[in-house]
Amino acid sequence: MIHFLLKGVLHDRHRSLLPLIVITLGVALTVLGHAWVNGVLGESFVMSAHFSTGHLKAMTRAYAEEQDQMPIDLALIGVKEIMDELAGIGEVDWAPRIRFGGLIDFPDESGSTRSQGPATGFAVDLLTPGSKEIDRFNLTSSILSGHIPTREEEALITYDFAEKFHIQPGDRFTFFGSTMEGSMAFGNFIVAGTVRFGAEALDHGAILIDLTAGQRMLGMPDAAGEILGFFNNNRYDQKEAQAIADSFNARRSGSTDEFAPLMVTMRDQEGMAQLFDYTHIISAILITAFVLAMSVVLWNTGLIGGLRRYGEFGVRLALGEEKSHIYRTLIYEALLIGLIGSVIGTVVGLALALYLQVVGLDMGDAMRASTMMMPSVIRTQVTATDFWIGFIPGLFSMTLGNALSGLGIYKRSTAHLFKELEA
Amino acid sequence: MENKQIIDINNLVKRFPIGDGYFTALQGITLRFVAGEFAGLVGPSGSGKTTLLNLIGSLDSPSEGSVVVLGHEVSRLSHRESAALRNYHIGFIFQTYNLLPVFSVYDNVEFPLLLQKRDAVGRRKAVMEALDWVGLSHKAQSRPAQLSGGECQRVSIARAMVKRPELVLADEPSANLDAKNSHHIIQTMKRLNRELGTTFLFATHDEKVMGYLDRIISLDDGRVARDERPLCVNEAQSDSTAEENGHARRQARI
Ligand SMILES: Nc1ncnc2c1ncn2[C@@H]1O[C@H](COP(=O)(O)OP(=O)(O)OP(=O)(O)O)[C@@H](O)[C@H]1O
Ligand SMILES: [Mg+2]
């Protein structure tokens, strides 16, 4: 009988091809949608990691307490030594950074202040050839005008400064702040270019300068506010991160020095734990909505397929088949088509998702004009879930459709079904 | 040979609900058929032929009276039991053939045996034998769409006969066929009736079919108007004699 069913399904294009196409499409879309949601949500994690938390972060215990105030007076000293120690940990790239605050001052032709405003600064390694910081800040595609700094005295400013104060690449400015020791710090810079990072926290009144320039200006040679660690494969791995942090911290467990370095994982940084959990909830909601929508579409396909076949059911009843048997075969058919469609759809969906994961869909041009807060390159992220998520709408929707439409077999009397033959 | 009773209908009434009331399609039918009969229900459109066949085939149940088929009181059968009755004992032949279009001729004929869960070897033998009866062994792998109307109807005869039922119900089997094909399929059924002893009950308007029947029951307005056994049914009619026979009897009746 299974053989017989299979033959029927394969031979009847109406019965198999259309639902198969719909299921394949639906399943592929579900897989792609899921990977996309993961990608977009993942992207905001990537941005958080790249701009602020790292996958791991080392700083002094005191700095950790007051992180949001960018307290450079509590910075880590002896960065070289720590970097040597960290170099022993494979698979992680370490990047010292300084975050600082102060005033930015744009002079007029005569040299006196034309305009002034508060600014947040980032000093990161921009000049070492092959520095990964340029990629982490996504500078190549977020730069709006000018170029990436190639000298210590060059700086990038965010687009709102440029707009408010009519600043162009080549203009000069002075930055005022305080040194690590608490005395007055200032530095003169040339605007190399303007940027829009696409993250609210950064895009308002920020400057980006080279690490060495920052260390010099802020009087902190061999010091840095924080050292960020990034897994080389760019995937955050909580277990691995925790292990690295634990072993790093264990080496200092005896110390009571509040300037001793402390390492925390991405998840352990402020607000991130909630974000992690929140993301899972959002992802679950989106997936459920998607699965439901696909199920409705596929359910309709099943329904139409079932209605079309009342005549056939009439003959089969006349030949002595039981109603329950017809009903069961209808369900098996749906499962069979659903299974085939789910497999093909999952393969197609995974292929598309993997392609978009590797290549990415560059929305840079469209994004530049908008003020929306989204990563400019949309990337999917394939996870283990993508291998089975498509089977939910694939198997259940058509089965549900056939199950419901098949109820007509029971609702109608045998003679009535039989009458459909004459139509 | 003592012929056993196949169908026993007593005071059968069938009403269909329409609107607030009822339409009485059959009223007070009493009929008996014994094994080996080659009988037909005739009568104007709407006289109740199909309704009566459906009741005998256990596809519908009586409003009053009883229909006993092969010893089973139809109104008392569960769905499952009536399906089994059809599956093992009753073959159906339809005006519009109603072959399953997605399956080959072979598959269509095999289907009733699959329902009976017969083993593969037994099925194969029975299907080929049935196709042989109707002269279509060479078309076993064709699809219904590739066959002529006459061939389709022969396939449906094979499908009805493959399980060797005691009773075959045929509702207007020749209505969609030309004269030559009509004679061919009726002769085929007549031969099976003689060789296998299968009881055939037709519903028909077709004079050509009537020419072969050894019992003609005329229905009119849901009642049995006449129940006749033509005397001179030729056992081995040729196409032309069947035609003549029909004419002869019609004239005899006038
Ligand atoms: N399900 C039904 N509901 C209501 N009326 C019905 C139903 N089935 C049949 N009838 C009526 O019962 C009467 C007999 O119908 P039936 O189909 O048995 O006629 P018939 O003799 O087979 O006619 P034909 O030669 O046209 O096939 C008709 O008037 C028909 O309208
Ligand atoms: Mg009829």
Side-chain angles (χ1 to χ4, degrees):
Chain A
M1 203 71 206
I2 297 293
H3 185 148
F4 190 80
L5 267 180
L6 204 68
K7 240 193 251 180
V9 168
L10 292 181
H11 288 175
D12 186 351
R13 293 261 163 80
H14 291 284
R15 206 186 295 180
S16 53
L17 201 63
L18 182 68
L20 199 64
I21 289 170
V22 175
I23 290 176
T24 301
L25 270 178
V27 168
L29 279 176
T30 305
V31 172
L32 194 61
H34 183 254
W36 180 72
V37 167
N38 261 342
V40 170
L41 291 173
E43 200 79 6
S44 61
F45 276 101
V46 169
M47 281 175 117
S48 294
H50 283 174
F51 292 155
S52 123
T53 64
H55 294 145
L56 284 157
K57 187 192 272 186
M59 55 207 153
T60 65
R61 294 172 184 175
Y63 186 97
E65 302 272 299
E66 298 173 39
Q67 249 199 82
D68 49 330
Q69 299 178 27
M70 301 174 285
I72 56 169
D73 52 320
L74 306 177
L76 278 171
I77 3 193
V79 169
K80 274 203 191 76
E81 199 185 319
I82 301 173
M83 287 293 281
D84 285 344
E85 179 189 343
L86 293 176
I89 302 170
E91 302 307 310
V92 185
D93 187 66
W94 300 95
R97 286 181 187 177
I98 307 169
R99 285 197 285 159
F100 53 96
L103 274 179
I104 190 169
D105 181 295
F106 295 99
D108 60 16
E109 286 82 30
S110 65
S112 50
T113 297
R114 174 162 58 105
S115 44
Q116 222 176 35
T120 312
F122 284 83
V124 306
D125 183 4
L126 295 176
L127 299 181
T128 306
S131 166
K132 291 182 184 160
E133 297 285 77
I134 289 169
D135 283 342
R136 291 189 191 120
F137 280 88
N138 200 19
L139 290 183
T140 317
S141 56
S142 52
I143 201 152
L144 299 176
S145 66
H147 60 270
I148 297 167
T150 52
R151 293 176 291 142
E152 280 185 21
E153 55 272 25
E154 286 185 327
L156 291 172
I157 60 169
T158 49
Y159 71 101
D160 62 326
F161 274 143
E163 271 170 17
K164 224 173 356 185
F165 302 137
H166 306 286
I167 308 299
Q168 283 165 355
D171 289 352
R172 290 171 177 281
F173 70 88
T174 306
F175 183 89
F176 296 99
S178 60
T179 67
M180 183 165 73
E181 310 293 349
S183 54
M184 167 90 162
F186 75 93
N188 290 309
F189 295 93
I190 303 166
V191 175
T194 57
V195 287
R196 184 209 293 266
F197 294 110
E200 187 139 35
L202 285 180
D203 274 334
H204 293 286
I207 68 169
L208 188 68
I209 60 174
D210 178 58
L211 179 66
T212 319
Q215 286 174 325
R216 183 172 306 137
M217 175 176 75
L218 300 167
M220 41 196 304
D222 200 26
E226 44 202 42
I227 300 173
L228 273 56
F230 297 94
F231 289 111
N232 285 340
N233 65 3
N234 217 2
R235 286 286 175 77
Y236 181 64
D237 179 340
Q238 172 65 29
K239 251 197 215 137
E240 182 73 20
Q242 194 64 57
I244 293 171
D246 287 349
S247 90
F248 183 88
N249 295 333
R251 262 167 266 152
R252 287 146 183 94
S253 57
S255 165
T256 52
D257 181 3
E258 63 167 342
F259 289 102
L262 168 78
M263 193 178 284
V264 295
T265 65
M266 184 178 183
R267 189 185 164 96
D268 283 341
Q269 293 178 54
E270 213 188 11
M272 292 311 287
Q274 289 101 304
L275 194 58
F276 269 82
D277 299 338
Y278 187 58
T279 300
H280 281 132
I281 295 169
I282 293 214
S283 157
I285 291 172
L286 284 173
I287 295 308
T288 311
F290 210 79
V291 165
L292 282 180
M294 286 325 304
S295 298
V296 170
V297 172
L298 294 174
W299 170 64
N300 268 304
T301 313
L303 196 60
I304 291 161
L307 293 175
R308 207 175 51 78
R309 292 171 59 192
Y310 281 148
E312 175 197 329
F313 301 152
V315 191
R316 287 165 62 177
L317 286 171
L319 293 176
E321 194 167 352
E322 283 173 34
K323 283 184 174 186
S324 62
H325 190 267
I326 293 181
Y327 192 73
R328 274 207 307 279
T329 59
L330 208 57
I331 302 287
Y332 293 152
E333 251 179 54
L335 284 173
L336 194 68
I337 294 171
L339 189 68
I340 298 171
S342 299
V343 170
I344 301 176
T346 299
V347 169
V348 171
L350 279 175
L352 286 172
L354 274 173
Y355 176 79
L356 284 181
Q357 176 171 318
V358 175
V359 177
L361 190 62
D362 193 350
M363 305 284 282
D365 291 332
M367 292 294 184
R368 205 157 286 168
S370 85
T371 51
M372 255 172 70
M373 292 282 310
M374 269 175 100
S376 65
V377 176
I378 293 181
R379 268 182 211 285
T380 50
Q381 190 178 340
V382 176
T383 56
T385 311
D386 294 316
F387 286 82
W388 57 262
I389 192 87
F391 284 75
I392 298 177
L395 285 179
F396 290 98
S397 50
M398 184 168 172
T399 311
L400 192 70
N402 274 14
L404 288 175
S405 58
L407 287 180
I409 301 171
Y410 289 104
K411 276 202 218 112
R412 294 161 175 231
S413 69
T414 305
H416 198 109
L417 276 171
F418 200 62
K419 260 207 164 312
E420 307 260 344
L421 293 179
E422 288 153 24
Chain B
M1 186 174 78
E2 179 68 10
N3 277 341
K4 82 168 185 184
Q5 190 149 300
I6 293 263
I7 303 169
D8 188 358
I9 301 170
N10 274 302
N11 293 316
L12 172 65
V13 176
K14 180 65 188 177
R15 293 186 209 96
F16 292 110
I18 32 168
D20 317 323
Y22 287 96
F23 174 81
T24 307
L26 296 173
Q27 30 197 331
I29 305 272
T30 297
L31 283 168
R32 272 174 198 84
F33 296 90
V34 293
E37 285 200 65
F38 200 73
L41 305 169
V42 303
S45 185
S47 56
K49 304 184 291 295
T50 298
T51 305
L52 184 53
L53 281 191
N54 285 352
L55 283 159
I56 295 169
S58 177
L59 290 166
D60 213 342
S61 49
S63 307
E64 278 174 36
S66 72
V67 177
V68 177
V69 178
L70 295 159
H72 301 281
E73 165 64 65
V74 163
S75 62
R76 294 220 193 95
L77 294 178
S78 66
H79 273 306
R80 175 168 294 225
E81 288 163 338
S82 71
L85 177 66
R86 287 193 295 274
N87 191 1
Y88 287 92
H89 305 290
I90 305 176
F92 282 86
I93 294 168
F94 312 94
Q95 173 178 340
T96 50
Y97 329 132
N98 289 314
L99 301 176
L100 302 175
V102 301
F103 296 104
S104 68
V105 164
Y106 185 94
D107 294 333
N108 266 282
V109 178
E110 188 186 25
F111 186 75
L113 303 181
L114 282 170
L115 293 177
Q116 294 183 356
K117 299 197 166 62
R118 285 225 217 143
D119 66 274
V121 179
R123 289 204 305 266
R124 175 148 202 97
K125 191 166 164 287
V127 171
M128 291 320 289
E129 190 181 20
L131 285 174
D132 194 39
W133 289 334
V134 298
L136 282 176
S137 308
H138 60 294
K139 299 266 182 169
Q141 294 314 318
S142 303
R143 294 283 192 85
Q146 299 163 331
L147 303 182
S148 72
E151 287 169 330
C152 282
Q153 198 58 301
R154 277 147 67 197
V155 174
S156 84
I157 293 171
R159 178 175 66 181
M161 292 302 301
V162 70
K163 57 197 178 188
R164 303 220 180 192
E166 282 93 331
L167 173 64
V168 170
L169 302 173
D171 196 350
E172 314 271 10
S174 63
N176 283 13
L177 301 176
D178 61 19
K180 185 163 168 277
N181 275 302
S182 298
H183 281 295
H184 189 152
I185 63 134
I186 302 298
Q187 281 163 6
T188 303
M189 288 190 268
K190 182 76 194 169
R191 197 181 73 238
L192 291 166
N193 165 252
R194 256 190 285 107
E195 290 173 6
L196 305 173
T198 312
T199 309
F200 280 78
L201 181 55
F202 294 86
T204 187
H205 291 290
D206 190 349
E207 303 276 344
K208 298 184 286 301
V209 175
M210 293 179 213
Y212 292 87
L213 299 175
D214 47 35
R215 180 177 174 193
I216 297 177
I217 296 139
S218 307
L219 292 185
D220 192 14
D221 211 7
R223 293 174 211 273
V224 177
R226 276 188 300 279
D227 185 349
E228 307 165 299
R229 295 172 190 273
L231 291 172
C232 53
V233 177
N234 193 334
E235 288 294 305
Q237 285 161 317
S238 66
D239 289 4
S240 56
T241 54
E243 200 103 53
E244 281 159 18
N245 187 278
H247 278 295
R249 281 195 296 103
R250 230 180 7 263
Q251 263 150 11
R253 216 177 290 151
I254 294 167

